[in-house]
Amino acid sequence: MTLTFYKYQGTGNDFVMIDNRQNVFDKNNTKLVAFLCDRKFGVGADGLILLENHPTEDFKMVYYNADGNESSMCGNGGRCIVAFAEFLQLITDQTTFEATDGLHFAKIEDNIIHLQMKDVDTVKSFKNHQFLDTGSPHHVQFVADLAHFDVKNEGKKIRYGQPYNQAGTNVNFVEKVNEDTYTVRTYERGVEDETLSCGTGVTAVAIAMHNTGNSVATTINLNVQGGALKVSFVKDGNSYKKVMLIGPATQVFKGEIAC
Ligand SMILES: N[C@@H](CCC[C@H](N)C(=O)O)C(=O)O
Protein backbone atom coordinates (compact mmCIF):
# COMPACT_ATOMS: atom_id res chain seq x y z
CA MET A 1 0.00 0.00 0.00
CA THR A 2 1.16 3.57 -0.69
CA LEU A 3 0.42 6.18 1.95
CA THR A 4 0.28 9.92 1.21
CA PHE A 5 1.62 12.04 4.06
CA TYR A 6 2.70 15.59 4.81
CA LYS A 7 5.58 16.64 7.02
CA TYR A 8 5.06 19.63 9.37
CA GLN A 9 7.24 21.29 11.97
CA GLY A 10 6.53 23.78 14.75
CA THR A 11 9.72 25.35 16.16
CA GLY A 12 11.55 22.18 15.16
CA ASN A 13 9.13 19.69 16.77
CA ASP A 14 8.31 17.65 13.66
CA PHE A 15 5.37 15.51 12.67
CA VAL A 16 4.14 13.15 9.98
CA MET A 17 0.65 14.49 9.22
CA ILE A 18 -2.01 12.31 7.58
CA ASP A 19 -5.43 13.27 6.27
CA ASN A 20 -7.46 10.37 7.69
CA ARG A 21 -10.94 11.66 6.85
CA GLN A 22 -11.45 8.60 4.63
CA ASN A 23 -10.09 6.20 7.32
CA VAL A 24 -7.09 5.23 5.18
CA PHE A 25 -4.79 4.70 8.17
CA ASP A 26 -4.51 1.55 10.30
CA LYS A 27 -4.83 3.27 13.71
CA ASN A 28 -3.88 0.29 15.88
CA ASN A 29 -0.66 -0.45 13.99
CA THR A 30 1.95 0.74 16.51
CA LYS A 31 4.78 -0.66 14.38
CA LEU A 32 3.62 1.34 11.33
CA VAL A 33 3.57 4.61 13.33
CA ALA A 34 7.03 3.88 14.76
CA PHE A 35 8.32 3.01 11.27
CA LEU A 36 6.99 6.25 9.74
CA CYS A 37 8.60 8.28 12.58
CA ASP A 38 11.93 6.43 12.30
CA ARG A 39 14.64 8.85 11.06
CA LYS A 40 16.73 6.09 9.44
CA PHE A 41 14.17 3.66 7.96
CA GLY A 42 11.03 5.83 7.64
CA VAL A 43 10.08 9.48 7.10
CA GLY A 44 11.42 10.65 10.45
CA ALA A 45 9.50 12.69 13.04
CA ASP A 46 8.91 13.26 16.76
CA GLY A 47 5.30 12.15 16.31
CA LEU A 48 2.50 11.28 13.91
CA ILE A 49 -0.85 13.08 13.71
CA LEU A 50 -4.11 12.04 12.08
CA LEU A 51 -6.67 14.63 11.00
CA GLU A 52 -10.11 13.01 11.19
CA ASN A 53 -13.74 13.96 10.75
CA HIS A 54 -15.68 15.16 13.80
CA PRO A 55 -19.49 15.12 14.11
CA THR A 56 -19.82 18.71 15.41
CA GLU A 57 -16.40 20.44 15.32
CA ASP A 58 -14.08 21.21 12.39
CA PHE A 59 -11.94 18.09 12.84
CA LYS A 60 -10.42 15.66 15.34
CA MET A 61 -6.69 15.37 16.15
CA VAL A 62 -5.22 11.96 17.00
CA TYR A 63 -1.62 12.12 18.24
CA TYR A 64 1.03 9.36 18.45
CA ASN A 65 4.54 9.68 19.86
CA ALA A 66 7.52 8.49 17.78
CA ASP A 67 7.52 5.21 19.74
CA GLY A 68 4.22 4.36 18.00
CA ASN A 69 1.90 4.82 21.00
CA GLU A 70 -1.08 7.16 21.08
CA SER A 71 -0.41 9.76 23.74
CA SER A 72 -1.69 12.85 25.50
CA MET A 73 -1.94 16.38 24.03
CA CYS A 74 0.80 17.78 21.81
CA GLY A 75 0.86 21.59 21.72
CA ASN A 76 3.18 21.99 18.74
CA GLY A 77 1.29 19.25 16.93
CA GLY A 78 -1.92 21.12 17.71
CA ARG A 79 -0.54 24.24 16.05
CA CYS A 80 0.63 22.18 13.06
CA ILE A 81 -2.74 20.48 12.54
CA VAL A 82 -4.43 23.90 12.51
CA ALA A 83 -2.05 24.92 9.68
CA PHE A 84 -2.81 21.60 7.94
CA ALA A 85 -6.59 22.16 8.25
CA GLU A 86 -6.14 25.59 6.66
CA PHE A 87 -4.04 24.02 3.86
CA LEU A 88 -6.85 21.48 3.24
CA GLN A 89 -9.31 24.43 3.13
CA LEU A 90 -11.27 22.90 6.00
CA ILE A 91 -11.00 26.18 7.93
CA THR A 92 -10.05 29.79 7.22
CA ASP A 93 -8.62 31.85 10.07
CA GLN A 94 -10.17 30.21 13.12
CA THR A 95 -11.31 26.79 14.28
CA THR A 96 -12.49 24.60 17.11
CA PHE A 97 -11.29 21.00 17.06
CA GLU A 98 -11.19 18.04 19.40
CA ALA A 99 -8.02 16.49 20.80
CA THR A 100 -7.49 13.91 23.53
CA ASP A 101 -7.78 16.53 26.30
CA GLY A 102 -10.96 18.15 24.96
CA LEU A 103 -11.92 20.98 22.63
CA HIS A 104 -9.34 23.53 21.45
CA PHE A 105 -10.01 26.92 19.91
CA ALA A 106 -7.32 28.30 17.57
CA LYS A 107 -6.87 31.29 15.30
CA ILE A 108 -4.34 32.15 12.60
CA GLU A 109 -2.97 35.70 12.45
CA ASP A 110 -0.17 36.64 10.03
CA ASN A 111 0.74 32.94 9.65
CA ILE A 112 1.17 32.56 13.40
CA ILE A 113 -1.02 29.98 15.15
CA HIS A 114 -2.63 30.93 18.46
CA LEU A 115 -3.78 27.68 20.10
CA GLN A 116 -5.87 27.68 23.26
CA MET A 117 -4.69 25.06 25.71
CA LYS A 118 -6.66 23.48 28.54
CA ASP A 119 -7.14 25.38 31.80
CA VAL A 120 -4.62 24.52 34.50
CA ASP A 121 -6.02 24.33 38.05
CA THR A 122 -3.12 22.67 39.86
CA VAL A 123 0.60 23.40 40.00
CA LYS A 124 2.43 21.15 42.45
CA SER A 125 5.53 22.83 43.90
CA PHE A 126 8.45 20.88 45.34
CA LYS A 127 11.86 21.96 46.64
CA ASN A 128 13.59 21.92 43.23
CA HIS A 129 10.81 21.53 40.70
CA GLN A 130 7.16 21.99 39.78
CA PHE A 131 4.79 19.44 38.27
CA LEU A 132 1.70 20.30 36.22
CA ASP A 133 -0.49 18.94 33.45
CA THR A 134 -1.04 21.18 30.43
CA GLY A 135 -2.62 18.41 28.36
CA SER A 136 0.51 16.31 28.92
CA PRO A 137 2.41 15.85 32.20
CA HIS A 138 5.41 18.14 32.79
CA HIS A 139 8.24 18.33 35.32
CA VAL A 140 9.78 21.84 35.36
CA GLN A 141 13.21 22.45 36.86
CA PHE A 142 15.76 25.27 36.83
CA VAL A 143 19.34 24.33 35.90
CA ALA A 144 22.54 26.34 35.61
CA ASP A 145 24.37 26.57 32.25
CA LEU A 146 21.45 25.10 30.28
CA ALA A 147 23.40 25.34 26.99
CA HIS A 148 25.83 22.67 28.22
CA PHE A 149 23.36 20.61 30.26
CA ASP A 150 22.99 16.88 29.48
CA VAL A 151 19.23 17.01 28.78
CA LYS A 152 18.98 13.48 27.39
CA ASN A 153 20.59 11.64 30.28
CA GLU A 154 19.36 13.83 33.14
CA GLY A 155 15.88 13.96 31.58
CA LYS A 156 15.76 10.19 31.22
CA LYS A 157 16.64 9.69 34.92
CA ILE A 158 13.75 11.94 35.99
CA ARG A 159 11.28 10.55 33.41
CA TYR A 160 11.75 6.96 34.60
CA GLY A 161 12.48 7.81 38.26
CA GLN A 162 10.12 8.20 41.20
CA PRO A 163 7.36 9.34 41.43
CA TYR A 164 6.79 9.11 37.65
CA ASN A 165 8.07 5.58 36.99
CA GLN A 166 6.89 3.79 33.83
CA ALA A 167 3.95 6.13 33.05
CA GLY A 168 6.58 8.85 32.98
CA THR A 169 6.57 12.58 32.42
CA ASN A 170 8.10 15.09 30.05
CA VAL A 171 10.99 16.97 31.64
CA ASN A 172 11.71 20.67 31.05
CA PHE A 173 15.02 22.24 32.07
CA VAL A 174 14.83 26.02 32.40
CA GLU A 175 17.12 29.04 32.60
CA LYS A 176 15.86 32.58 33.22
CA VAL A 177 16.83 35.22 30.64
CA ASN A 178 14.87 38.13 32.15
CA GLU A 179 11.61 38.81 34.00
CA ASP A 180 9.39 37.51 31.20
CA THR A 181 11.75 35.37 29.09
CA TYR A 182 13.07 31.86 29.69
CA THR A 183 15.14 29.36 27.74
CA VAL A 184 13.76 25.82 27.82
CA ARG A 185 15.13 22.44 26.76
CA THR A 186 12.80 19.44 26.96
CA TYR A 187 13.22 15.67 27.25
CA GLU A 188 10.08 14.17 25.72
CA ARG A 189 8.39 11.03 26.88
CA GLY A 190 7.58 8.75 23.93
CA VAL A 191 10.43 10.21 21.87
CA GLU A 192 12.82 9.32 24.71
CA ASP A 193 15.18 12.09 23.73
CA GLU A 194 15.47 15.85 23.71
CA THR A 195 13.26 17.47 21.05
CA LEU A 196 13.87 20.93 19.62
CA SER A 197 10.64 22.24 21.17
CA CYS A 198 7.66 21.06 23.20
CA GLY A 199 4.46 23.11 23.15
CA THR A 200 2.78 21.67 26.26
CA GLY A 201 6.26 21.91 27.86
CA VAL A 202 6.74 25.65 27.33
CA THR A 203 3.13 26.18 28.41
CA ALA A 204 3.96 24.37 31.66
CA VAL A 205 7.14 26.43 32.12
CA ALA A 206 5.30 29.75 31.60
CA ILE A 207 2.60 28.85 34.13
CA ALA A 208 5.11 27.44 36.63
CA MET A 209 7.23 30.61 36.41
CA HIS A 210 4.18 32.76 37.15
CA ASN A 211 2.92 30.43 39.86
CA THR A 212 6.24 30.45 41.71
CA GLY A 213 6.57 34.25 41.49
CA ASN A 214 9.56 34.18 39.17
CA SER A 215 7.48 36.29 36.73
CA VAL A 216 4.53 38.60 37.22
CA ALA A 217 3.98 38.96 33.47
CA THR A 218 1.02 37.09 31.93
CA THR A 219 2.70 36.83 28.53
CA ILE A 220 5.94 34.86 28.69
CA ASN A 221 8.57 34.42 25.94
CA LEU A 222 10.11 31.00 25.63
CA ASN A 223 13.30 30.38 23.70
CA VAL A 224 13.62 26.77 22.58
CA GLN A 225 16.22 24.95 20.53
CA GLY A 226 14.06 25.28 17.38
CA GLY A 227 12.95 28.91 17.72
CA ALA A 228 10.75 31.09 19.89
CA LEU A 229 7.23 30.73 21.32
CA LYS A 230 4.95 32.84 23.48
CA VAL A 231 2.47 31.73 26.11
CA SER A 232 -0.20 34.04 27.50
CA PHE A 233 -2.85 33.34 30.16
CA VAL A 234 -5.29 34.88 32.60
CA LYS A 235 -5.01 34.01 36.30
CA ASP A 236 -8.46 33.45 37.76
CA GLY A 237 -8.29 32.53 41.46
CA ASN A 238 -6.03 29.48 41.58
CA SER A 239 -6.64 28.63 37.93
CA TYR A 240 -4.84 29.56 34.74
CA LYS A 241 -7.39 30.20 31.99
CA LYS A 242 -7.40 31.41 28.38
CA VAL A 243 -3.97 29.81 28.06
CA MET A 244 -2.68 30.51 24.54
CA LEU A 245 0.35 28.84 22.91
CA ILE A 246 1.55 31.15 20.12
CA GLY A 247 4.04 30.40 17.35
CA PRO A 248 4.69 29.32 13.77
CA ALA A 249 3.79 26.00 12.11
CA THR A 250 5.20 25.11 8.71
CA GLN A 251 4.55 22.52 6.02
CA VAL A 252 7.92 21.06 5.07
CA PHE A 253 7.00 18.61 2.28
CA LYS A 254 4.45 16.15 0.94
CA GLY A 255 5.38 12.57 0.16
CA GLU A 256 4.29 9.03 -0.54
CA ILE A 257 5.69 6.00 1.20
CA ALA A 258 5.19 2.28 0.60
CA CYS A 259 4.11 0.52 3.77
N1 LIG B 1 5.73 17.60 21.62
C1 LIG B 1 4.55 17.72 22.33
C2 LIG B 1 4.28 16.82 23.50
C3 LIG B 1 3.83 15.45 23.00
C4 LIG B 1 3.36 14.52 24.08
C5 LIG B 1 4.47 13.98 24.94
N2 LIG B 1 5.58 13.44 24.23
C6 LIG B 1 3.90 12.98 25.91
O1 LIG B 1 3.73 11.80 25.55
O2 LIG B 1 3.55 13.37 27.02
C7 LIG B 1 4.11 19.14 22.54
O3 LIG B 1 4.47 20.00 21.70
O4 LIG B 1 3.34 19.43 23.47
Side-chain angles (χ1 to χ4, degrees):
M1 162 197 170
T2 301
L3 183 72
T4 300
F5 67 91
Y6 295 81
K7 177 80 184 284
Y8 272 78
Q9 62 86 13
T11 49
N13 204 188
D14 60 345
F15 309 99
V16 171
M17 191 77 73
I18 294 168
D19 178 358
N20 198 35
R21 287 177 293 171
Q22 304 298 326
N23 295 316
V24 291
F25 194 76
D26 179 2
K27 292 171 71 169
N28 297 317
N29 194 339
T30 308
K31 283 188 178 159
L32 173 62
V33 176
F35 160 70
L36 291 168
C37 292
D38 191 296
R39 295 192 187 278
K40 299 265 194 307
F41 294 99
V43 180
D46 295 326
L48 180 144
I49 299 171
L50 303 178
L51 183 147
E52 299 196 329
N53 291 317
H54 190 281
T56 54
E57 308 305 330
D58 290 329
F59 58 90
K60 180 179 176 189
M61 168 182 174
V62 182
Y63 173 74
Y64 300 83
N65 278 321
D67 65 4
N69 295 309
E70 196 173 337
S71 195
S72 43
M73 180 57 184
C74 176
N76 287 329
R79 289 186 304 99
C80 286
I81 202 170
V82 170
F84 187 45
E86 187 204 26
F87 169 78
L88 294 175
Q89 297 183 327
L90 253 181
I91 63 163
T92 51
D93 57 352
Q94 49 179 275
T95 181
T96 304
F97 68 93
E98 187 183 33
T100 181
D101 61 342
L103 293 183
H104 288 262
F105 167 77
K107 62 181 181 179
I108 308 174
E109 274 177 12
D110 300 327
N111 278 329
I112 297 296
I113 316 288
H114 300 239
L115 174 65
Q116 185 161 4
M117 308 298 284
K118 68 175 235 181
D119 294 350
V120 174
D121 299 324
T122 311
V123 180
K124 291 183 183 163
S125 271
F126 301 87
K127 191 168 168 232
N128 293 318
H129 73 276
Q130 287 76 47
F131 178 79
L132 60 160
D133 193 313
T134 54
S136 283
H138 285 279
H139 175 111
V140 174
Q141 184 174 322
F142 274 118
V143 295
D145 195 14
L146 181 58
H148 297 104
F149 192 76
D150 186 353
V151 170
K152 183 168 183 179
N153 286 311
E154 296 304 317
K156 185 174 277 186
K157 280 185 214 160
I158 294 168
R159 180 258 193 263
Y160 284 105
Q162 285 192 352
Y164 308 119
N165 303 317
Q166 199 55 36
T169 183
N170 301 283
V171 185
N172 304 274
F173 297 108
V174 185
E175 197 165 59
K176 190 167 185 170
V177 177
N178 59 44
E179 211 283 314
D180 57 7
T181 306
Y182 296 84
T183 303
V184 182
R185 292 177 62 193
T186 304
Y187 176 96
E188 260 194 62
R189 174 181 76 162
V191 182
E192 306 312 338
D193 205 345
E194 180 177 10
T195 56
L196 295 183
S197 173
C198 179
T200 49
V202 297
T203 304
V205 170
I207 291 173
M209 294 304 112
H210 188 272
N211 194 259
T212 50
N214 282 289
S215 288
V216 292
T218 53
T219 298
I220 309 272
N221 304 303
L222 293 311
N223 299 328
V224 295
Q225 297 290 92
L229 291 160
K230 276 186 201 294
V231 173
S232 66
F233 45 78
V234 172
K235 180 93 189 278
D236 181 2
N238 288 328
S239 296
Y240 288 86
K241 297 191 167 158
K242 296 187 178 163
V243 180
M244 301 300 293
L245 170 64
I246 303 161
T250 305
Q251 187 180 116
V252 185
F253 60 86
K254 177 183 181 183
E256 287 186 346
I257 187 165
C259 54

